[in-house]
Amino acid sequence: KEYSYGAVIFYDGKEEHFSKKFSDPEMAAMRNVAGEIEGSMCAMQYCVDHGIKSIDIYYDYEGIAKWARGEWKTNKPGTKMYKEYYDRISDKLDVTFVKVKGHSGDINNDRADKLAKKALGIE
């Protein structure tokens, strides 16, 4: 009934870690996808808040890019909310989506996973 995200952000020579736990039942029903959505929005919001004009988002769940770009239908409230968020900020931020294979030894993807687990209290 809970989900979380972890994000590793590199900017201005610094590395920052973010994580957060949520308990929205509708989003939690989407399981790990809910965390992927929240993590992507966290990274984008960080850029908007800091006046950063572009970001490369490394992700391991295909929907993160496809929902944002309108390549997949947004059928659930969580995916609709994500697409609406992306559309709202897309004039302020140029987002490049970069797919990485999950659980494949990508150090920063593994860090993000650990941060998400720690937020849930399972690591």
Side-chain angles (χ1 to χ4, degrees), residues 9-116:
I9 297 178
F10 297 93
Y11 176 67
D12 203 20
K14 297 178 200 153
E15 177 179 330
E16 295 192 58
H17 296 181
F18 298 88
S19 62
K20 188 172 179 181
K21 174 174 75 169
F22 301 86
S23 59
D24 178 291
E26 209 161 75
M27 289 289 286
M30 296 174 66
R31 304 178 56 112
N32 65 314
V33 174
E36 299 275 351
I37 287 171
E38 294 287 359
S40 181
M41 290 192 314
C42 166
M44 288 186 264
Q45 190 62 49
Y46 178 91
C47 292
V48 170
D49 292 346
H50 290 86
I52 300 166
K53 301 294 180 196
S54 66
I55 184 173
D56 295 339
I57 293 183
Y58 291 78
Y59 65 94
D60 62 16
Y61 180 72
E62 191 175 10
I64 293 305
K66 298 219 178 219
W67 285 314
R69 293 185 196 131
E71 296 170 15
W72 281 6
K73 287 184 180 180
T74 54
N75 297 322
K76 296 182 179 181
T79 59
K80 288 177 184 178
M81 176 269 308
Y82 174 63
K83 173 67 170 140
E84 288 167 6
Y85 174 82
Y86 179 80
D87 289 346
R88 257 192 334 272
I89 60 99
S90 63
D91 63 332
K92 300 175 193 89
L93 183 65
D94 178 35
V95 181
T96 299
F97 292 101
V98 181
K99 175 84 168 86
V100 297
K101 187 174 180 183
H103 311 288
S104 65
D106 181 284
I107 189 165
N108 292 309
N109 188 267
D110 290 347
R111 281 183 184 160
D113 286 347
K114 284 184 181 184
L115 287 164

